[in-house]
Amino acid sequence: MAELTVHMLWVTGPLSNIEKISVNSFVSKGYRTFLWTYGGLNNAPAGAEVRNAREVLPENRVFRGKSGSLAQFSDLFRYAVLHSQGGLWVDADVVALVTPSALGSEPFLVTERDQTGLLKKGVKKILRRSEGRSVSNNVIYNPVPAAGNIVDLALGYANSFPKEKIVWGELGPRLISAIESIYPDHGFKVHAPVFANPVDWWRCPHALLRSPAEKISGASFLHLYNETWRRAGVDKNADFPRKSLMHDLAEE
């Protein structure tokens, strides 16, 4: 199998321990790892190739969502780099658990489990969870760019959508899920949640700070759900508890 290039984006500033674990995992597993940035990234792990993100989209295209997040711009960037260069996209909070040879050559999308809850008034307890799933865009494999495929269609929509009106997830999972559902002949394999999102987002980060490694048995990637760490107020640079999944990942 030819060398597989993985693309990540870190818009600006230094990486936290979470991102360093993510980047290191791909380098150590033998992926050619492109870490795209607009500047200020001074602590990239050895082996990662720091690339000028302006080669993909000019800096004046960078925008923030209503909450100030760069996540929505990251959605646009991934479609742009995959359409122009092809390869594997992963968010900078995704950990590689397998080598490139395990992925094959077929383009693919990944899914994650949905959560729906019925909250009893005054009791912070989820009484019911759905077994549904939705397409995520945290991992996308588009080995050969092609006009009219899912990535190309997502790029066209993301380019045109008024940026001042974007809400969380609108250019990400919601967009990819919509295109996938109305385009049955898209040609991408759609993996079950265990493939790349084995630990559900609503269990992060706490499950990652205590779960043993067998929780991710059979997965090819592990999504750490960086946003849940921020919302929970957990320091991404703090020491991880011993005998936790995060501690094991940091030691690899």
Side-chain angles (χ1 to χ4, degrees):
M1 181 178 179
E3 187 176 43
L4 198 162
T5 299
V6 60
H7 303 279
M8 299 180 178
L9 173 68
W10 194 250
V11 177
T12 186
L15 303 174
S16 78
N17 286 341
I18 293 291
E19 294 84 44
K20 287 190 282 187
I21 288 171
S22 172
V23 176
N24 266 324
S25 72
F26 284 91
V27 172
S28 66
K29 291 289 191 300
Y31 296 81
R32 186 179 185 186
T33 306
F34 283 4
L35 186 53
W36 298 92
T37 184
Y38 288 90
L41 200 169
N42 56 9
N43 63 343
E49 300 181 39
V50 178
R51 303 292 297 266
N52 187 346
R54 297 168 188 83
E55 296 175 15
V56 179
L57 289 174
E59 193 166 3
N60 62 12
R61 296 289 306 279
V62 178
F63 65 92
R64 293 179 182 269
K66 292 181 179 179
S67 66
S69 172
L70 289 163
Q72 291 88 345
F73 172 71
S74 174
D75 291 327
L76 170 62
F77 188 92
R78 74 194 61 196
Y79 306 139
V81 73
L82 285 178
H83 181 65
S84 63
Q85 300 191 22
L88 176 70
W89 169 272
V90 298
D91 284 353
D93 58 355
V94 170
V95 175
L97 302 176
V98 299
T99 62
S101 61
L103 300 182
S105 58
E106 183 180 7
F108 64 74
L109 302 171
V110 303
T111 60
E112 61 186 358
R113 280 178 285 271
D114 287 333
Q115 180 198 46
T116 59
L118 185 62
L119 295 179
K120 186 175 180 180
K121 188 174 182 181
V123 179
K124 293 183 178 179
K125 181 179 180 181
I126 297 205
L127 302 178
R128 179 174 60 83
R129 287 197 177 100
S130 75
E131 295 299 324
R133 67 181 192 177
S134 61
V135 180
S136 178
N137 71 340
N138 61 312
V139 179
I140 302 173
Y141 187 35
N142 188 46
V144 181
N149 75 1
I150 280 184
V151 171
D152 183 34
L153 294 174
L155 175 61
Y157 185 93
N159 263 328
S160 301
F161 198 92
K163 305 305 182 286
E164 70 279 2
K165 295 183 179 180
I166 296 172
V167 298
W168 186 270
E170 199 154 34
L171 298 186
R174 289 169 60 185
L175 175 58
I176 290 292
S177 292
I179 296 174
E180 193 275 334
S181 68
I182 63 175
Y183 185 14
D185 296 325
H186 52 70
F188 282 64
K189 182 174 182 177
V190 181
H191 284 287
V194 68
F195 181 81
N197 298 293
V199 180
D200 300 317
W201 65 263
W202 61 86
R203 296 189 174 96
C204 296
H206 304 296
L208 302 171
L209 297 172
R210 61 174 182 262
S211 292
E214 55 264 26
K215 292 288 187 182
I216 56 173
S217 176
S220 295
F221 304 97
L222 171 64
H223 192 191
L224 303 179
Y225 288 104
N226 173 69
E227 177 64 12
T228 67
W229 293 65
R230 185 190 68 79
R231 294 184 182 185
V234 178
D235 184 359
K236 296 192 296 180
N237 287 308
D239 291 337
F240 303 120
R242 295 188 65 83
K243 298 184 180 180
S244 70
L245 179 52
M246 289 305 304
H247 182 270
D248 291 348
L249 293 173
E251 292 294 304
E252 290 183 359

